[in-house]
Amino acid sequence: MQVERAYEKFLLKANENFETSKIAVDRGRFTLLFNEAQNKMLENILDRKADDEYRYIQKLLVKNKEIPRETSQENLDLFPLPKNYFDFSSAYTKATSKGNKCTDVKIYLYEVKDDNIIEVLQDEFQKPSFIAREAPFSFTSDKIAVYKEDFKNDSLVLSYYRYPLQIQLIDEEDPESAFNEAFPIEFDDKFTDRIISMAVSEFEINNSNDKFNINKQQSINKF
């Protein structure tokens, strides 16, 4: 669906719910509402883990992106997250043993919370192990921290969900500018309609229209 068409459908749907007067939303505000709505739709699907809906977002899955180590500390290696990172899928590292006897060995990772990391590192069965080919990791700021003991993590191989392309105006300073065709809507019409319903619901919340729950439910549920 072209962005201009999505904008027209948004206006039609929003005006259906405002019975007393016709509402006006410029392209600049629609751009903000639509981008927020598609990000929320992606978050909803990932949170609900609904297998039959994952097909809508598979194009956003970046598989096996290799990321070089950025910095090292005594018991961990740090890897920067990609700028378009949205959510985690899976990861492993390519590691070298102490003394460089074995290289390019795959270490499988499992996530731990920062609050539990000291306990994990002291646990014989959970701490990093080159022999077991396992190590814990945690998120810290815009990085992934991979813990180690008798080896070093040379690179991280990360599979993740990226942000959808965010629609834009040609002139960001002009709220009635035409849409920039270099930033299209990535989803099919069926899913785009659900994003539009979500955008309308957010607009109605901001404008105190009590029908917003209907549109929100339409966006979350499959048609």
Side-chain angles (χ1 to χ4, degrees):
M1 186 183 300
Q2 296 293 323
V3 181
E4 183 67 30
R5 177 57 181 156
Y7 175 56
E8 292 169 357
K9 294 186 77 169
F10 170 89
L11 291 176
L12 286 171
K13 194 170 186 65
N15 276 299
E16 285 175 0
N17 297 330
F18 280 78
E19 299 171 352
T20 57
S21 62
K22 187 174 182 180
I23 59 97
V25 179
D26 60 44
R27 287 176 175 80
R29 189 174 184 191
F30 169 74
T31 296
L32 295 175
L33 287 166
F34 186 89
N35 286 334
E36 181 180 349
Q38 64 174 345
N39 294 343
K40 283 187 176 181
M41 288 295 296
L42 174 57
E43 185 175 28
N44 284 342
I45 290 174
L46 293 171
D47 286 347
R48 291 161 63 189
K49 296 180 172 60
D51 291 341
D52 58 341
E53 291 197 306
Y54 267 79
R55 65 182 182 276
Y56 294 121
I57 63 172
Q58 281 309 295
K59 65 175 61 180
L60 304 180
L61 179 61
V62 180
K63 300 193 71 173
N64 300 327
K65 181 178 177 63
E66 188 162 355
I67 303 171
R69 182 180 61 244
E70 183 177 75
T71 57
S72 291
Q73 298 178 17
E74 182 179 358
N75 67 338
L76 61 84
D77 296 310
L78 290 170
F79 300 88
L81 287 171
K83 290 183 178 180
N84 63 350
Y85 174 89
F86 187 89
D87 203 0
F88 180 80
S89 178
S90 63
Y92 65 88
T93 62
K94 295 180 180 180
T96 299
S97 67
K98 187 175 183 179
N100 299 327
K101 294 180 180 179
C102 298
T103 62
D104 206 31
V105 174
K106 184 181 290 188
I107 303 294
Y108 294 94
L109 305 181
Y110 53 93
E111 185 179 0
V112 296
K113 296 181 179 179
D114 283 335
D115 294 345
N116 300 329
I117 191 60
I118 294 178
E119 179 182 344
V120 169
L121 294 179
Q122 293 175 344
D123 188 318
E124 193 67 30
F125 298 101
Q126 295 188 77
K127 68 180 184 178
S129 171
F130 192 79
I131 294 175
R133 305 291 195 262
E134 290 182 342
F137 80 94
S138 63
F139 290 96
T140 171
S141 184
D142 57 348
K143 297 177 175 59
I144 287 182
V146 181
Y147 294 88
K148 60 185 180 181
E149 186 172 78
D150 52 353
F151 60 93
K152 58 182 178 180
N153 299 286
D154 301 310
S155 65
L156 173 74
V157 181
L158 175 67
S159 294
Y160 68 98
Y161 289 92
R162 63 171 174 82
Y163 273 91
L165 284 178
Q166 307 291 284
I167 64 172
Q168 297 185 20
L169 302 178
I170 292 176
D171 182 357
E172 296 292 336
E173 301 299 320
D174 179 6
E176 286 297 357
S177 169
F179 294 110
N180 190 335
E181 295 182 2
F183 298 89
I185 296 172
E186 296 190 82
F187 305 106
D188 64 21
D189 288 0
K190 184 178 180 181
F191 193 66
T192 299
D193 282 336
R194 292 171 63 187
I195 295 171
I196 292 170
S197 291
M198 174 70 80
V200 171
S201 75
E202 293 300 317
F203 174 76
E204 289 167 347
I205 290 172
N206 295 336
N207 289 274
S208 301
N209 187 325
D210 58 8
K211 291 186 178 180
F212 76 89
N213 277 322
I214 297 174
N215 286 307
K216 189 170 185 180
Q217 198 62 36
Q218 286 179 334
S219 68
I220 293 174
N221 294 331
K222 295 184 296 181
F223 293 139

